[in-house]
Amino acid sequence: MSEPKAPKIEFPCDYVIKVIGNSAPDFSEFVVEVVEQHAPGITEADISVTESSKGRFSSVQLKIVATGEAQLKALFEELKASGRVHMVL
């Protein structure tokens, strides 16, 4: 039996990403700036920021319009390469 294939994403589509990193006054602005370079047109309504219970981490959730695998790969790599991001989901 073969492995079931992951569902294929139809582009363009609305796509939600969650970026987790150390809390800092400018963390959400930093994340939005990087994401905006890859997926322009984000509005305040597309962004939600959550602090961890002890306040050490921030989670920024954004809804973007994904245009393709290459866009998402470049976005994830730039966020991870910044050194400020622990995880991108």
Side-chain angles (χ1 to χ4, degrees):
M1 273 183 17
S2 66
E3 292 282 318
K5 286 193 172 22
K8 192 84 177 122
I9 299 173
E10 297 284 328
F11 294 104
C13 64
D14 283 348
Y15 191 87
V16 177
I17 63 169
K18 188 179 231 180
V19 182
I20 301 165
N22 289 337
S23 282
D26 66 335
F27 183 70
S28 60
E29 288 86 1
F30 160 76
V31 170
V32 170
E33 229 170 75
V34 172
V35 172
E36 185 76 32
Q37 292 170 18
H38 297 274
I42 299 166
T43 66
E44 288 290 319
D46 298 330
I47 305 165
S48 103
V49 180
T50 310
E51 298 294 324
S52 67
S53 59
K54 291 194 167 80
R56 287 183 51 218
F57 301 101
S58 284
S59 162
V60 183
Q61 186 170 303
L62 305 103
K63 185 173 79 180
I64 64 169
V65 176
T67 57
E69 296 280 347
Q71 173 207 35
L72 295 175
K73 188 173 186 297
L75 171 56
F76 282 41
E77 283 176 3
E78 186 173 344
L79 285 167
K80 288 181 189 166
S82 71
R84 299 187 66 181
V85 172
H86 292 295
M87 210 181 302
V88 182
L89 308 171

